[in-house]
Amino acid sequence: MTDTVDYSHPPYLAMSLIAGSVLILQITLMRLMSVTLWYHFAFMMISLALLGSGIATAIIYRWPDWWRKNTDRLHIISTALFTISMVVCPALYLALPLEVTVSVSGAFHLALTIMIFLIPFTFGGFVIASLIARHTEHVSRLYFADLGGAALGALATVGLLMLFSPQTVLIGLGLLSLVALFDLWPRRQSRVSYDKSLLRWAGCALVVWLVGLSLLGTDLYQVRYTKTKKETH
């Protein structure tokens, strides 16, 4: 079956949702790290967000033929992994015995923290960069969707963090990326539409998100360490 996907209408909704999710993720992680570590480490999230986007763009630039051949699959897989990472990465971080000291172990823990939170920013940044590179003829409108989604995400974060814990907000973001995943799925008959591997990626993202949602409030998402000291509950 030939690929007959219609690209005349770029996925503006997906762009807005992913951009908003990345912005909310960035601010929420700053809030979480200001509690578990210190405020000056919280601003590291800004650097990680930029680094993740830079890595994603460099991948597209370095391997353009591979990217062009697999663009649509990469959109879906990256969005699915973005969803999964927003569920898994906070749990991994909260389970770490945080130790930020001038020592080998302290440097290792800091590097591990950076790597954990670089993952979702890279996948989210890849979707944004790939959509812009794929739809260059609609770049102005896509960029508007990008900025609009980020602006709405920034405004929404204020209310969300007043009502919910950072862990709850992070899990809730998975719902936005799942909606973006649906918007990115080809509407017309194509090889991509019926690719079973992509259906498995989408199903895996949904299952992981539902599991994360069901585990909210359990020890998995509880803050165990604050300022390198173990919390007693």
Side-chain angles (χ1 to χ4, degrees):
M1 183 179 295
T2 59
D3 195 345
T4 58
V5 182
D6 182 10
Y7 294 110
S8 59
H9 300 288
Y12 298 114
L13 177 61
M15 173 64 88
S16 295
L17 290 174
I18 295 297
S21 296
V22 170
L23 203 290
I24 296 174
L25 174 66
Q26 180 180 337
I27 299 174
T28 304
L29 289 179
M30 290 175 67
R31 172 73 173 271
L32 182 62
M33 291 197 72
S34 68
V35 173
T36 56
L37 290 175
W38 288 275
Y39 280 98
H40 55 278
F41 282 105
F43 294 101
M44 181 176 65
M45 290 300 112
I46 300 174
S47 300
L48 288 183
L50 293 173
L51 179 59
S53 298
I55 291 173
T57 305
I59 291 172
I60 295 173
Y61 178 80
R62 179 63 180 82
W63 293 283
D65 294 334
W66 169 77
W67 169 76
R68 291 191 190 97
K69 183 179 179 180
N70 302 282
T71 302
D72 310 299
R73 289 174 173 81
L74 290 172
H75 286 165
I76 295 168
I77 293 172
S78 296
T79 306
L81 288 172
F82 181 55
T83 304
I84 293 170
S85 63
M86 284 192 292
V87 175
V88 176
C89 291
L92 289 176
Y93 171 72
L94 292 172
L96 287 176
L98 300 174
E99 179 187 348
V100 183
T101 57
V102 184
S103 63
V104 174
S105 61
F108 172 78
H109 281 94
L110 181 59
L112 189 58
T113 299
I114 291 172
M115 293 302 298
I116 287 174
F117 287 132
L118 184 60
I119 293 172
F121 286 122
T122 301
F123 287 126
F126 186 89
V127 177
I128 294 173
S130 185
L131 286 176
I132 291 175
R134 179 64 183 83
H135 303 280
T136 54
E137 67 279 12
H138 301 283
V139 67
S140 58
R141 294 181 180 179
L142 271 175
Y143 193 50
F144 177 80
D146 179 16
L147 293 179
L152 291 175
L155 292 174
T157 308
V158 177
L160 288 173
L161 290 178
M162 291 177 64
L163 297 173
F164 306 105
S165 68
Q167 298 94 309
T168 303
V169 173
L170 292 173
I171 299 298
L173 284 179
L175 181 60
L176 296 182
S177 57
L178 286 172
V179 175
L181 181 64
F182 175 79
D183 188 49
L184 288 168
W185 206 276
R187 296 295 184 269
R188 296 187 179 184
Q189 291 186 350
S190 67
R191 292 188 299 271
V192 178
S193 299
Y194 299 98
D195 192 323
K196 291 183 179 180
S197 65
L198 293 183
L199 291 172
R200 285 193 289 269
W201 276 109
C204 181
L206 177 60
V207 169
V208 170
W209 180 74
L210 290 174
V211 170
L213 189 65
S214 67
L215 291 176
L216 272 176
T218 65
D219 290 341
L220 186 65
Y221 288 101
Q222 292 296 324
V223 174
R224 298 178 177 85
Y225 298 89
T226 58
K227 311 296 187 291
T228 72
K229 296 180 180 179
K230 187 175 180 62
E231 287 287 290
T232 56
H233 298 284

